[in-house]
Amino acid sequence: MPYFTKLLLLIFCFVLLVESRRHRRRRWTTHPDVQRASHIFKRNRDLTKAWKGKTEQLLRVDEHDFTMRPAFGGPAIPVGVDVQVESLDSISEVDMDFTMTLYLRHYWKDERLSFPSTNNKSMTFDGRLVKKIWVPDVFFVHSKRSFIHDTTTDNIMLRVFPDGHVLYSMRVTVTAMCNMDFSHFPLDSQTCSLELESYAYTDEDLMLYWKNGNESLKTDEKISLSQFLIQKFHTTSRLAFYSSTGWYNRLYINFTLRRHIFFFLLQTYFPATLMVMLSWVSFWIDRRAVPARVSLGITTVLTMSTIITGVNASMPRVSYIKAVDIYLWVSFVFVFLSVLEYAAVNYLTTVQERKERKLRERFSCSCGIPHSKTMMLDGNYSESDANSLAGYTRNQMAPEEDKPEKMVVHLAMSNESNSSRKRGLKGHVGLRIIQNTHAIDKYSRLIFPGTYIFFNLIYWSVFS
């Protein structure tokens, strides 16, 4: 009996536990939030299950041969193109190319991809479906490198409309060739083009065109380059002919760039101008200070050579003369001429002193007057030499080649000269000693700066 009672109690407890769980479940399913979630789940059910098959079956991909273009054997299929430029990454003068990242979109109609739809909405797919249908074989003419971005997946989008219209978009980075003219570098403007063309289909099979004309090309407002100012983007199109295959439609993305000059003013033009001006300092240095003038001339020549080498190292080896080459080489010629100017001054001074020495030796023993003295007054004597002339009067004067600054003067002792006469002669000799500049230096102080300023006026008026 006690065992039977215990069994009944266990059965009763089990029944109570089951009823309590059933009651809690009934309360949870009747909760408003749970009912709303169940309604949303029923409304947004998986549509792929409702179509009872794969997407390819909905688009009937397996029923057609997509290796052939739409309307094969008929007229050319029109393929519209539009481009959105995301960035213009770099312009290389050495390699003569540019790198651009863009969104390339194609528009065409393929009735084989039409599908029934009650709401007339399109379907969007990723790059996996692109490999199973026909897409235009557009490539970049004159491109060196190009790739489709694949992070985190292939940046490809395919959108199909119920009537068979297709939008095919991809994100591409391309490096293409740009033929540049550096005859006005760095005061130049460059026009580069990115060219699109079908590789296999001629204009009889595929007609490429800009979908919205000039509005087909859009650019990001944040596009900027360090050395260039982007002036304008525009589109053009024309036919390209190949002798072996025929005529093809070709689309062009043209953009014009103007180089910023301020960088080259700081790095090239200003240093070159300062070196030329520094070479003029030697015209004001004493012609007898040989180490100072020679070292200054050599320093400026070597500095100009360094500037020219640095500029040409970052440029392609073109066979024509650039605008910057004209400026730098003319500046180099001015610096080099300042060195040659001192060489001429030093040589003429040596020749002059040699002639004066011979004349001095000739007149020193031919006077016949015991209290006389013959000297060359050319301004090269010290104050002690000038003081030694005190007590002498000018007896005769023999000019050498009629040069006013170089005279052979024969001075004879005169006991009758008064003190005022001595002071006048002493002041005259002191004035000629101060004038210790060669005539070539005097003319160079005016000719060199004037000529260089005239050259700058012509240069900047022609190239700017």
Side-chain angles (χ1 to χ4, degrees), residues 105-320:
R105 305 183 183 97
H106 306 81
Y107 302 85
W108 74 94
K109 183 177 182 180
D110 191 347
E111 295 181 353
R112 296 172 296 182
L113 296 177
S114 60
F115 60 91
S117 176
T118 56
N119 51 12
N120 198 28
K121 290 185 178 180
S122 62
M123 292 190 299
T124 303
F125 307 96
D126 57 16
R128 286 172 288 187
L129 184 61
V130 174
K131 301 177 181 179
K132 300 179 181 180
I133 65 173
W134 181 90
V135 294
D137 60 338
V138 175
F139 78 105
F140 297 101
V141 185
H142 305 309
S143 66
K144 297 181 178 179
R145 296 173 300 275
S146 61
F147 62 92
I148 299 176
H149 291 260
D150 55 0
T151 304
T152 58
T153 184
D154 291 340
N155 295 173
I156 297 176
M157 185 268 289
L158 189 70
R159 182 170 295 169
V160 183
F161 294 85
D163 59 353
H165 281 88
V166 182
L167 165 60
Y168 174 44
S169 176
M170 66 184 75
R171 183 167 175 254
V172 186
T173 294
V174 56
T175 300
M177 183 177 62
C178 178
N179 293 323
M180 302 182 185
D181 182 14
F182 297 106
S183 57
H184 285 69
F185 176 88
L187 305 169
D188 58 334
S189 297
Q190 303 294 341
T191 300
C192 299
S193 299
L194 183 63
E195 306 172 12
L196 296 85
E197 181 182 306
S198 173
Y199 191 85
Y201 298 101
T202 64
D203 61 338
E204 297 178 354
D205 292 322
L206 189 147
M207 183 182 66
L208 279 179
Y209 68 98
W210 290 111
K211 187 174 185 296
N212 299 314
N214 290 330
E215 299 297 327
S216 301
L217 179 61
K218 300 184 181 299
T219 59
D220 193 341
E221 296 179 355
K222 298 181 180 179
I223 295 179
S224 62
L225 294 171
S226 59
Q227 291 191 20
F228 290 93
L229 173 65
I230 303 176
Q231 291 186 325
K232 64 177 180 178
F233 277 90
H234 65 280
T235 61
T236 55
S237 61
R238 67 168 181 259
L239 291 175
F241 177 73
Y242 297 91
S243 59
S244 301
T245 54
W247 294 88
Y248 294 82
N249 294 110
R250 182 177 294 183
L251 306 181
Y252 296 82
I253 302 173
N254 304 309
F255 55 96
T256 303
L257 307 172
R258 183 169 183 83
R259 197 181 305 272
H260 293 297
I261 187 59
F262 189 71
F263 171 81
F264 295 93
L265 288 177
L266 293 179
Q267 299 295 326
T268 303
Y269 287 98
F270 285 165
T273 304
L274 292 177
M275 286 301 104
V276 174
M277 297 174 64
L278 182 62
S279 66
W280 299 340
V281 177
S282 63
F283 303 151
W284 279 265
I285 299 178
D286 190 348
R287 59 179 175 174
R288 294 173 297 181
V290 178
R293 296 190 66 164
V294 171
S295 60
L296 180 61
I298 293 176
T299 301
T300 53
V301 168
L302 293 178
T303 305
M304 283 301 306
S305 301
T306 303
I307 295 175
I308 293 174
T309 304
V311 172
N312 290 328
S314 60
M315 295 296 299
R317 298 179 180 179
V318 295
S319 58
Y320 49 84

Side-chain angles (χ1 to χ4, degrees), residues 352-363:
Q352 172 190 332
E353 291 178 351
R354 188 182 302 114
K355 291 180 179 180
E356 292 172 356
R357 191 180 304 110
K358 291 180 180 180
L359 290 174
R360 193 181 302 116
E361 293 175 356
R362 177 180 176 184
F363 284 98

